[in-house]
Amino acid sequence: MKFPFPGGNPAIDFGVLLLYLAAVLWIGLRAERGPKTVEQFALGGHRMPWWAVLGSLIAAETSAAFFLGTPAEGYALGNYEYLQLALGTVLARVLVAYLFVKPYFTYRVTSIYQFLGLRFGTKTKSAASATFLLTRLLASGARLYVAAILPVLAVKLLWGSPVSSGQELLVYAISALFLTLFTTLYTVAGGIRAVIWTDLLQAGLMLSGGLLTLFLLFQRIPWGSSSPLAEAARLLAALPWADSGINPHKNLWENLGAIFSSDYTIWAALIGSTFTTMATHGTDQDLVQRLLTAKNHHRSRLSLILSGLTDVPLVFLFLTIGIFLGLLARSAHDPRLPSQANEVFPYFILCQTPPGIRGLLLAAIFATAMGSLSAALNALATSFCEDWVFRFLPAATDEKIRVRFLRGSTVLFAFLSIAIACATAFFVLRSPRARILPIVLGLFGYSYGPLLGVFLLGVLTRSRGNDFGNCVAMACGLGVVMVFSGVPQSILGFFSPGGETRLNWLPCVSFPWRVFVGSCTTFLVGLCFPPFPAPRVRTL
């Protein structure tokens, strides 16, 4: 059989990949030999060192969507404007560290939505938990789809003849099934400790894979001068790094409309990205659960803030990979180069890297996918059981039974993630111009704004908000985001082609601003409701 990869039969790559999978499985199964209690399964007994929590946070943030999606943004846009959004993530982590972390430790919650139950009541807790479960499940499925892009592209190259949409969808499904079942195995066995220790390996592999890719690209690009490094530095420095979004020839309202409808501006970085990161790192059980495994809130804060400082160089690294891919594509004129920006980096890995190194990069992609998926499954199971299932169990229920429910819920969400990954693949096959990061971040934008708004109401006020009012506020937040993100226009256009033009007068906000709009709306509406006659407010 003739292989389209350099070096012929990629047996070395499969060997490297199998070695990585064996190492992950060994670490995951030995991390916690059968957690006996809910606290051990979900929080690791609060015994994780801060540097392990830091590595796990980095692994969580650098999912397969980040590993493949960030180069796709650099390739498609050809500049560093996306890097602006990383600035807001640093500020947001500091705010989260001093607003949310200590209350979670003070109340000794397992699911962070229990905090809302203590502060407001059961309805608020249930609404927030349901929002997290739905949003995180959708986002995890979308990230799982991203990880399956590379196996699909490999099959296309090996097949030799055109692959139908149905065959492509089948490969997506098989890839998602394999990755999920393997990840679920050690997640069910070891709980959060298995997640964190395997994340450390996965974070190191991701970083080394990114640096190695950048070096290979630098070697492949035909630089024109005698000093390639100096030429590359001049080229990158000349690219746009920031965009104010302001046009001096437009009036105030026109400029505001342009700013809110643009994906990457300095305002989206300092405001929109700050609110988005506050939501993902302060109100998302997936990331916060890792923070709660630290010994105390001081070490948890340290891990969180340091993770923000690593975010900027990581984004810069992977954007540069995308920009270099664009330079290489323009100089090589490869007729087999995929037309979709999402597939260019996977194509480079498969067809333009030597054996062994290619296996390492394949392992890095699987590592990013498995790291984010394992934590998501553990967080989904924890929130589902703590906020929903355990309330129907007798108070004296044995801890072993509760842990069994946690493990069973982990398996349930694993299969649901596979189904959503297949649905995402079907959507992208029907919409080939869709980009990865707007898909993943757009999912958060609709629901995490209301979630952040009600948490801010809980930590910033002591005498406002109640169970009923919070549900109204969250519904208003979601409704406003949907209106201002173009949902009514899309619905009208679907049922009446061309009819969406009748709603073009509505302002439209881009995905970095959605959490900001939703959280502000929820917070302001929630302020209008006083507490019930017997408030459940506790001193933080």
Side-chain angles (χ1 to χ4, degrees):
M1 181 177 183
K2 183 180 179 180
F3 289 91
F5 310 125
N9 193 328
I12 299 176
D13 303 318
F14 285 113
V16 172
L17 187 58
L18 289 175
L19 182 63
Y20 157 73
L21 294 175
V24 168
L25 190 60
W26 183 80
I27 293 173
L29 294 178
R30 289 181 59 87
E32 180 76 64
R33 296 185 178 181
K36 302 297 190 299
T37 66
V38 171
E39 186 181 70
Q40 290 175 353
F41 187 91
L43 302 179
H46 298 289
R47 294 185 286 114
M48 300 303 299
W50 68 266
W51 49 268
V53 176
L54 170 62
S56 184
L57 288 174
I58 294 173
E61 293 155 1
T62 52
S63 64
F66 177 92
F67 195 93
L68 297 179
T70 306
E73 291 295 294
Y75 177 84
L77 302 177
N79 57 49
Y80 284 104
E81 291 182 358
Y82 176 74
L83 184 62
Q84 299 171 98
L85 300 188
L87 301 177
T89 67
V90 179
L91 174 61
R93 284 172 171 85
V94 176
L95 294 174
V96 169
Y98 287 93
L99 280 178
F100 295 111
V101 172
K102 186 178 179 181
Y104 295 153
F105 274 88
T106 300
Y107 282 96
R108 297 190 63 83
V109 296
T110 302
S111 165
I112 60 174
Y113 310 109
Q114 292 172 329
F115 164 77
L116 294 178
L118 296 170
R119 173 64 174 83
F120 297 112
T122 305
K123 292 185 178 66
T124 304
K125 181 189 77 170
S126 299
S129 176
T131 300
F132 160 74
L133 290 172
L134 179 60
T135 307
R136 174 50 64 186
L137 184 60
L138 291 172
S140 297
R143 288 174 171 179
L144 186 56
Y145 147 75
V146 174
I149 290 177
L150 197 141
V152 169
L153 185 58
V155 169
K156 286 182 178 179
L157 294 171
L158 287 169
W159 199 263
S161 57
V163 178
S164 67
S165 297
Q167 292 170 328
E168 193 169 341
L169 187 60
L170 178 62
V171 178
Y172 273 117
I174 294 173
S175 302
L177 180 65
F178 170 77
L179 276 175
T180 304
L181 292 182
F182 187 87
T183 305
T184 304
L185 179 62
Y186 68 81
T187 305
V188 167
I192 192 67
R193 286 180 62 84
V195 170
I196 290 178
W197 288 121
T198 54
D199 277 352
L200 277 177
L201 171 64
Q202 290 154 352
L205 195 58
M206 175 276 304
L207 179 59
S208 61
L211 292 172
L212 187 57
T213 300
L214 188 65
F215 176 77
L216 288 174
L217 284 167
F218 182 79
Q219 295 292 324
R220 295 287 181 86
I221 295 173
W223 304 103
S225 68
S226 59
S227 176
L229 190 61
E231 183 180 347
R234 287 195 300 270
L235 174 67
L236 297 180
L239 295 175
W241 288 69
D243 180 17
S244 67
I246 297 176
N247 188 334
H249 302 293
K250 294 183 178 180
N251 60 39
L252 174 63
W253 294 110
E254 289 174 336
N255 275 312
L256 285 176
I259 288 171
F260 279 101
S261 61
S262 300
D263 288 348
Y264 308 131
T265 65
I266 192 64
W267 310 107
L270 297 178
I271 301 175
S273 181
T274 298
F275 274 77
T276 300
T277 306
M278 286 178 65
T280 57
H281 288 65
T283 69
D284 186 312
Q285 177 72 18
D286 185 1
L287 285 167
V288 178
Q289 189 169 333
R290 302 163 192 250
L291 295 174
L292 296 180
T293 63
K295 295 180 180 180
N296 53 54
H297 71 274
H298 298 292
R299 299 187 182 188
S300 181
R301 283 173 175 171
L302 177 64
S303 301
L304 180 59
I305 293 173
L306 288 179
S307 73
L309 297 178
T310 63
D311 201 34
V312 175
L314 278 175
V315 174
F316 174 79
L317 169 64
F318 282 90
L319 279 177
T320 305
I321 288 173
I323 293 170
F324 278 11
L325 282 170
L327 294 176
L328 183 62
R330 287 192 290 273
S331 63
H333 304 292
D334 187 348
R336 297 191 303 170
L337 188 71
S339 58
Q340 295 185 35
N342 298 343
E343 295 184 352
V344 173
F345 187 26
Y347 174 81
F348 171 80
I349 293 173
L350 289 173
C351 295
Q352 299 187 26
T353 54
I357 295 178
R358 180 171 56 222
L360 181 66
L361 294 176
L362 290 172
I365 293 176
F366 287 144
T368 57
M370 292 164 61
S372 59
L373 180 61
S374 62
L377 294 177
N378 188 270
L380 287 165
T382 300
S383 179
F384 179 66
C385 289
E386 287 284 351
D387 299 329
W388 299 92
V389 176
F390 290 169
R391 71 168 70 171
F392 298 106
L393 297 179
T397 302
D398 187 73
E399 284 288 311
K400 291 183 179 179
I401 297 177
R402 293 176 183 266
V403 171
R404 286 177 195 160
F405 273 106
L406 281 168
R407 287 180 167 142
S409 299
T410 303
V411 176
L412 170 65
F413 284 109
F415 282 102
L416 291 175
S417 297
I418 294 171
I420 293 171
C422 295
T424 306
F426 178 78
F427 167 76
V428 174
L429 289 173
R430 296 289 299 271
S431 306
R433 296 179 63 87
R435 303 201 316 271
I436 294 172
L437 286 180
I439 291 175
V440 176
L441 296 179
L443 291 172
F444 289 114
Y446 287 103
S447 55
Y448 272 34
L451 197 58
L452 176 60
V454 76
F455 268 95
L456 289 174
L457 191 67
V459 299
L460 296 180
T461 71
R462 299 176 185 271
S463 59
R464 305 306 300 174
N466 60 54
D467 239 2
F468 172 76
N470 290 340
C471 294
V472 173
M474 293 179 72
C476 290
L478 177 60
V480 169
V481 173
M482 293 180 69
V483 168
F484 288 147
S485 61
V487 172
Q489 295 94 314
S490 299
I491 294 176
L492 187 60
F494 179 79
F495 288 103
S496 177
E500 72 276 6
T501 56
R502 297 200 299 269
L503 293 177
N504 280 348
W505 54 270
L506 281 173
C508 188
V509 298
S510 62
F511 73 88
W513 289 100
R514 291 174 188 170
V515 172
F516 169 75
V517 172
S519 60
C520 289
T521 302
T522 302
F523 182 79
L524 294 174
V525 174
L527 284 177
C528 299
F529 292 88
F532 288 134
R536 303 184 63 174
V537 181
R538 292 188 179 187
T539 303
L540 302 181

